[in-house]
Amino acid sequence: MNIMSYLIRGLATGGQFALVAIGYTMVYGILKLINFAHGELFMVSGILMIYIVADLPTLPIWLAIALMVVLTVFIGFLIEKFAYSPLRSAPRMSVMISAIGVSYLLQNLVSYVTGGLSKQFPDIPVIGESVRFLGVKDKLTVFLSPVIALVLMVILVLIINHTKFGMSMRAVSKDFETSQLMGIKINRVISITFAIGAFLAATGSILYFAKNTGINHLSGANPGLKAFIAAVVGGIGSVPGAVVGALIIGVVESLAKAFGLADFSDVISFALLIIILVVKPTGIFGEKTTEKV
Amino acid sequence: MWNKNKRLISNLIFVGALLLTLVCIELFAPPTSMWFSVLRKVCTFSLAAVSMNLLNGFTGLFSLGQAGFMLLGAYTYAILTIPVEMRSNVFRNYGDSVINFQMPLVPALILAGLIAAFFAFLIGLPVLRLKSDYLAIATLGFAEIVRGLVQLQNFGPVTNGPDPINMFTAPKNIMAYVAISGISILIIILIINSTYGRAFKAIRDDEIAAEAMGINLAHHKRLSFIISSFFCGVSGAMMAMCNTSVSSVSFTSAMTYQILLVVVIGGIGSVSGSIIAAFIFYASSEWWLKFLDLETFTASGSKVPLLGPGFRMVVFSVLIMIIVLFFRKGIMGTREISVYDGLMKIRSLFKGKQAVKEEK
């Protein structure tokens, strides 16, 4: 295999992680919460897809995907309503613990339903087909992932910067209380943020699991952690930052494999994380904040 | 003065009674009893939780590197206590172990702590400058790096690469676990009540105010981080003894989250809370809720719905969510257990408030 194929696969994983990373970064931007359950939501959406296809074999695949996305968004919404919104006035630590609790619950729930076994992700037409591009032969999802990630990112940035809802999102992330006083319905903004995050995670999960087809209850942990690192490397709170960070992480890990350091790839991305944090604690695109006494 | 002594004495009596109960369990419980495995685990994780509490609850440094330090401790302990004649067998994939001596238990334990503390010192130099979440992320990253490095083939002669290490000294006796954990926790309590402990608490409550009062932030933060990691290393060594086998796959960030849950359930900033929570956490997840995993049939022969493999953990995580959402301060809050105060409270229930007041 040549460098090109590693580069393309790296960009693909990067694109898939980017979609998850945007969810982390948006929630952090607004609630200052590291949403540990996001990786598990990613895994749950993959599992949902498997069960929808298995239980409703007559359903056209596109409808199945739509149903899965809707269910994932609904679960994301429920998590926010039940686990995070009651803790709105609690210290940030409590909310984070609640997020850990949710991720624990989702893992155990999926493990109970699947019996802890690995399940096979269904074949998705079109994106699951093999194609040859730039001399690399792989599933279409590999070539499509970074493109989809970039397109969704651009749409999201346009929404955030140019719509009224985007303006309220920016306001809430700047200052919770003041924006509430200005008449912004913060609960609605937060719910929609979670819904967008869940939608992107669901999209990411289709792209990711179409390539890596085995899913068990722990499948969300690694992509979740990587996407989270990506969000931090890019500057947590910034949407383009999350995408850039994810692409960097994806490519770096893939290149590490290309140079025969496959065992080392995790170590390299975590080392990158620590270096970025130490050199520029707020990440590549992060804004500098100063603490007031 | 008398009141303080009364508190101390009644607490000592309580601890003594607890120890006596443990000895009784050790002597009289049937060898197959769940008490043994659960108590070993409880001792290990209460030390891990208390050391995490020292950092998170008493110094206000939010670190998620516990799994990494525990791994360092576990590996150090395991590698040093394999009997010499077993070494070539354990390290058969890598020729032989580079270390060719066996250490007694206690020095190996201390060394396990020291190695973890040394790495804490190294990693603390850059990362302790980071604030709140960023510190948590960086330490989490550190733990994952350690886990990745230990598995490398190149370190095979030292760490046995990705293969588990076993055959090392592992006491079966629960009193050994109680002693290690008890002494370590006692030292932590003494540290918390010393001037250093007060400085830690000042940093937790307000960094800027603490600095203004003349507390050297960098020095105290580093100290707290190193002490906490030392005991994390010791608890990692205890975990190695518990499992009688060490493998890097068990030291995931999920384990750190588990310890964090124990700390939070017990109350952030309460040593006794952490211990109680560790007991409840591991006793219920591994023992009391076990029946939920079995497919049970009612007297009439129909199957009880929902029960089956894995259901225990679902119930358990729902319970955790309930505690997290509705009992935010945990079992103890920031208070410590005090038998004397408890007795006084009970007495006031019987006598009515007036009588107790007059007596004072």
Side-chain angles (χ1 to χ4, degrees):
Chain A
M1 279 211 281
N2 55 353
I3 284 291
M4 195 62 193
S5 75
Y6 279 107
L7 207 61
I8 285 177
R9 284 192 190 125
L11 284 174
T13 348
Q16 291 147 9
F17 287 169
L19 293 172
V20 187
I22 294 175
Y24 275 110
T25 218
M26 285 205 312
V27 168
Y28 191 88
I30 287 184
L31 286 179
K32 298 281 171 287
L33 157 73
I34 303 176
N35 184 10
F36 281 109
H38 200 57
E40 267 59 47
L41 188 65
F42 175 77
M43 174 270 298
V44 165
S45 73
I47 291 283
L48 275 176
M49 188 70 202
I50 291 172
Y51 278 87
I52 290 171
V53 171
D55 291 344
L56 304 166
T58 50
L59 204 65
I61 194 81
W62 298 111
L63 273 177
I65 291 176
L67 182 60
M68 181 275 258
V69 171
V70 169
L71 282 176
T72 310
V73 169
F74 184 62
I75 294 172
F77 174 77
L78 282 186
I79 291 175
E80 198 276 323
K81 267 282 155 300
F82 283 102
Y84 304 149
S85 84
L87 298 173
R88 202 74 88 214
S89 56
R92 277 173 48 208
M93 185 84 163
S94 315
V95 195
M96 203 165 116
I97 305 296
S98 179
I100 292 176
V102 171
S103 90
Y104 208 53
L105 177 63
L106 288 179
Q107 271 185 16
N108 289 327
L109 209 58
V110 169
S111 160
Y112 173 60
V113 171
T114 62
L117 300 170
S118 199
K119 296 263 170 185
Q120 192 67 19
F121 198 70
D123 284 328
I124 310 283
V126 184
I127 65 164
E129 279 160 27
S130 287
V131 286
R132 181 176 281 280
F133 181 67
L134 291 173
V136 183
K137 189 168 179 284
D138 210 328
K139 288 182 176 173
L140 185 62
T141 174
V142 170
F143 303 102
L144 226 48
S145 296
V147 180
I148 291 180
L150 283 174
V151 169
L152 288 175
M153 178 200 87
V154 170
I155 294 173
L156 195 58
V157 169
L158 288 177
I159 290 175
I160 291 173
N161 288 336
H162 295 287
T163 64
K164 206 165 179 193
F165 170 72
M167 195 195 269
S168 58
M169 255 174 89
R170 278 180 290 148
V172 173
S173 76
K174 269 271 182 300
D175 192 329
F176 221 81
E177 271 125 34
T178 315
S179 55
Q180 203 167 11
L181 288 175
M182 296 297 157
I184 295 172
K185 295 189 180 67
I186 54 164
N187 282 328
R188 218 188 72 189
V189 172
I190 293 169
S191 292
I192 294 177
T193 308
F194 270 86
I196 294 173
F199 167 75
L200 294 173
T203 316
S205 92
I206 298 170
L207 295 171
Y208 182 81
F209 291 119
K211 166 85 180 147
N212 313 296
T213 51
I215 314 182
N216 63 13
H217 59 288
L218 297 173
S219 299
N222 191 40
L225 203 56
K226 290 286 161 59
F228 172 58
I229 299 173
V232 177
V233 166
I236 199 154
S238 147
V239 173
V243 176
V244 171
L247 292 177
I248 292 176
I249 294 280
V251 170
V252 165
E253 288 205 348
S254 187
L255 288 182
K257 282 182 194 134
F259 292 111
L261 298 167
D263 294 342
F264 221 63
S265 65
D266 277 8
V267 174
I268 290 177
S269 42
F270 285 106
L272 187 73
L273 167 81
I274 291 187
I275 292 168
I276 294 264
L277 279 177
V278 170
V279 177
K280 200 167 181 300
T282 47
I284 301 172
F285 283 74
E287 287 170 30
K288 207 170 175 197
T289 51
T290 44
E291 198 187 336
K292 290 181 206 131
V293 180
Chain B
M1 191 62 203
W2 170 233
N3 257 343
K4 204 181 164 189
N5 275 346
K6 253 200 266 185
R7 288 217 171 88
L8 187 66
I9 290 166
S10 54
N11 275 346
L12 283 180
I13 293 171
F14 175 67
V15 172
L18 207 64
L19 280 178
L20 203 68
T21 324
L22 290 175
V23 172
C24 288
I25 290 172
E26 170 97 72
L27 290 178
F28 301 118
T32 51
S33 159
M34 281 303 287
W35 275 110
F36 292 101
S37 62
V38 165
L39 277 178
R40 273 185 225 130
K41 219 158 186 184
V42 168
C43 286
T44 307
F45 281 95
S46 41
L47 179 57
V50 171
S51 73
M52 188 177 201
N53 211 341
L54 175 69
L55 200 58
N56 288 8
F58 289 95
T59 322
L61 289 175
F62 188 29
S63 150
L64 291 177
Q66 270 63 25
F69 297 117
M70 284 177 79
L71 181 147
L72 287 169
Y75 265 83
T76 312
Y77 172 81
I79 291 166
L80 290 175
T81 57
I82 303 172
V84 180
E85 63 275 14
M86 302 279 197
R87 279 188 187 269
S88 52
N89 186 21
V90 174
F91 288 84
R92 58 185 169 274
N93 290 345
Y94 300 94
D96 203 347
S97 164
V98 286
I99 295 158
N100 267 313
F101 55 88
Q102 184 197 359
M103 267 180 132
L105 191 139
V106 174
L109 269 178
I110 294 173
L111 209 61
L114 286 178
I115 294 278
F118 175 68
F119 275 88
F121 168 74
L122 287 186
I123 190 74
L125 291 177
V127 303
L128 280 180
R129 289 184 299 158
L130 301 170
K131 291 246 155 35
S132 64
D133 291 349
Y134 291 104
L135 175 65
I137 298 158
T139 44
L140 187 73
F142 161 75
E144 291 289 330
I145 289 177
V146 171
R147 198 163 71 87
L149 284 180
V150 165
Q151 294 175 14
L152 287 186
Q153 299 281 345
N154 312 36
F155 293 133
V158 186
T159 62
N160 212 11
D163 306 326
I165 302 180
N166 34 37
M167 312 265 203
F168 51 83
T169 320
K172 283 266 166 290
N173 195 329
I174 46 172
M175 280 331 270
Y177 292 84
V178 174
I180 301 167
S181 174
I183 292 170
S184 306
I185 290 173
L186 186 70
I187 297 172
I188 295 178
I189 292 174
L190 292 177
I191 292 171
I192 288 170
N193 290 330
S194 71
T195 42
Y196 286 110
R198 282 172 220 285
F200 293 163
K201 283 182 208 161
I203 294 173
R204 168 192 69 186
D205 292 339
D206 193 330
E207 265 189 28
I208 294 164
E211 200 170 19
M213 301 304 283
I215 293 170
N216 185 340
L217 283 190
H219 174 72
H220 281 90
K221 280 185 181 177
R222 199 184 311 135
L223 202 66
S224 168
F225 192 54
I226 290 174
I227 296 171
S228 163
S229 307
F230 176 88
F231 289 109
C232 245
V234 175
S235 73
M238 287 174 70
M239 189 168 145
M241 294 182 205
C242 264
N243 296 345
T244 64
S245 162
V246 178
S247 166
S248 57
V249 285
S250 47
F251 295 90
T252 53
S253 39
M255 196 177 80
T256 307
Y257 300 154
Q258 227 174 60
I259 301 170
L260 183 62
L261 280 177
V262 171
V263 171
V264 171
I265 291 170
I268 301 172
S270 165
V271 173
S272 44
S274 292
I275 300 170
I276 298 170
F279 180 72
I280 296 176
F281 193 96
Y282 289 99
S284 53
S285 76
E286 314 224 323
W287 182 11
W288 297 338
L289 294 179
K290 263 270 156 68
F291 71 94
L292 292 171
D293 264 3
L294 304 171
E295 293 183 350
T296 325
F297 296 89
T298 49
S300 55
S302 60
K303 193 172 166 293
V304 180
L306 292 175
L307 294 190
F311 191 60
R312 164 182 62 117
M313 290 315 284
V314 175
V315 173
F316 184 61
S317 31
V318 170
L319 289 179
I320 286 179
M321 281 311 292
I322 291 173
I323 294 180
V324 168
L325 289 177
F326 300 108
F327 304 93
R328 277 176 225 171
K329 297 224 157 119
I331 301 170
M332 298 295 292
T334 52
R335 288 167 296 130
E336 293 296 345
I337 206 162
S338 167
V339 183
Y340 182 74
D341 289 351
L343 287 178
M344 278 297 147
K345 222 174 243 165
I346 293 168
R347 209 164 111 188
S348 70
L349 283 181
F350 287 115
K351 280 196 171 176
K353 273 178 190 155
Q354 201 58 39
V356 176
K357 240 179 210 168
E358 273 164 17
E359 228 170 78
K360 276 185 183 170

